[in-house]
Amino acid sequence: MSELLDFLTRGQAENLVNHLQSVEPEERMQVLAPLKPLAQVVLRGAPGEMSQQWYGPLTEEHRHAADVVVFPDVDSLLRQVPLSHRFIRESIPELFPGALAQVFEAWSGLYVKAPKNYDRRAAILRAAEWFDGRYDVSLPASREAGFVFFTGRFHLGWVYDVLVQNPLECRHMVRAVFLGPSAKGLSLRQADEIRLPIHTVREFLLPALCQAEILDRTEVRNWCEIALASKEHSAFEKVWFRQVLDAQTE
């Protein structure tokens, strides 16, 4: 216990993770429970804050270690999104390798539900890195995951690389975005308008996926026509679907 406390107070998340990997998953919550009150204090603290409860000024390393303590199991991750990007990028895959798709699916729902929660949104975008090929995990094929990849501030060349590694999921994801309702606060048209013209979903990503035969042009046209006839999309958003349709017929 004293060793784990030392790891937390010094912001040594890697040492905490290494220790927890030798503990059965169902026992981690019990092991970490005595540290949770201090971890919550750390997460409420201001950057650079000094305290006798930890070593040195409060840093991102301390927050990373605190998230390791506060999120001891998959259920805790399904309820709330941690804000330490290092915890998301480095520690979650090490501690919960079999739950990455499940966690990302839950967080994608939160992304769509409250897109203006910018701190949480940025954390969820960081989690998309789990699908870049480093881990043995399939990409969720849901409408919500589609909105993460199509409206997030990603380089679309990177998104393309992720999607071509998951061809079946990619097709289902694109179909779900086109045929499902629009997401309030997550405009596909607006997301494209703030990108460089040659790096948009409609002019780069979708044509590239068709060229790679991940998507079929005829099918994309059909999805566009369904979206344009649907009452689930606003007139503003239908401009984007019309642009996609026109691009597929050129």
Side-chain angles (χ1 to χ4, degrees):
M1 172 60 191
S2 60
E3 183 181 44
L4 296 183
L5 178 61
D6 191 57
F7 294 156
L8 173 59
T9 57
R10 294 181 183 275
Q12 297 176 348
E14 185 176 350
N15 289 337
L16 273 173
V17 170
N18 289 340
H19 179 89
L20 291 175
Q21 287 178 311
S22 66
V23 178
E24 292 297 324
E26 60 272 15
E27 297 175 3
R28 290 175 184 171
M29 183 179 296
Q30 182 178 356
V31 168
L32 294 172
L35 302 179
K36 191 170 182 179
L38 176 56
Q40 290 173 328
V41 172
V42 169
L43 292 176
R44 290 195 298 267
E49 182 176 337
M50 302 292 291
S51 171
Q52 293 182 344
Q53 297 182 85
W54 55 78
Y55 288 93
L58 196 63
T59 65
E60 286 302 312
E61 284 72 21
H62 288 99
R63 295 179 184 278
H64 181 186
D67 270 345
V68 174
V69 173
V70 171
F71 295 94
D73 58 10
V74 174
D75 285 343
S76 61
L77 290 170
L78 296 179
R79 292 192 300 268
Q80 185 179 351
V81 180
L83 299 183
S84 167
H85 290 196
R86 286 192 61 192
F87 175 65
I88 293 169
R89 184 177 65 249
E90 301 171 14
S91 300
I92 291 179
E94 293 182 354
L95 292 170
F96 312 106
L100 299 182
Q102 180 187 7
V103 171
F104 188 78
E105 188 74 70
W107 290 2
S108 297
L110 296 175
Y111 179 92
V112 171
K113 185 177 180 180
K116 292 187 178 181
N117 186 328
Y118 295 111
D119 287 343
R120 186 170 70 184
R121 178 172 173 167
I124 294 171
L125 295 181
R126 181 66 65 185
E129 295 178 14
W130 297 339
F131 304 98
D132 64 5
R134 287 176 295 167
Y135 307 109
D136 183 17
V137 55
S138 295
L139 182 70
S142 67
R143 162 182 168 270
E144 292 80 8
F147 274 104
V148 173
F149 281 95
F150 293 161
T151 67
R153 294 291 188 91
F154 299 117
H155 187 284
L156 289 181
W158 178 84
V159 174
Y160 171 83
D161 290 341
V162 171
L163 296 182
V164 295
Q165 293 177 59
N166 299 270
L168 183 61
E169 292 82 2
C170 170
R171 180 183 174 277
H172 287 305
M173 178 191 292
V174 175
R175 182 181 184 276
V177 169
F178 277 57
L179 302 190
S182 295
K184 186 177 181 180
L186 289 173
S187 167
L188 296 164
R189 177 184 171 186
Q190 196 168 43
D192 261 0
E193 286 178 348
I194 63 176
R195 295 182 174 116
L196 293 174
I198 60 172
H199 291 300
T200 61
V201 171
R202 71 175 184 272
E203 293 183 21
F204 165 72
L205 184 61
L206 293 174
L209 291 170
C210 289
Q211 186 173 0
E213 299 184 347
I214 304 297
L215 300 177
D216 179 78
R217 288 184 183 277
T218 300
E219 203 165 39
V220 173
R221 287 197 294 268
N222 290 339
W223 295 340
C224 286
E225 290 169 353
I226 293 172
L228 288 167
S230 173
K231 296 180 180 179
E232 300 281 7
H233 301 293
S234 67
F236 180 88
E237 205 69 350
K238 285 183 179 180
V239 170
W240 185 84
F241 288 109
R242 170 57 63 184
Q243 291 170 334
V244 173
L245 178 59
D246 291 344
Q248 297 304 315
T249 56
E250 291 176 356

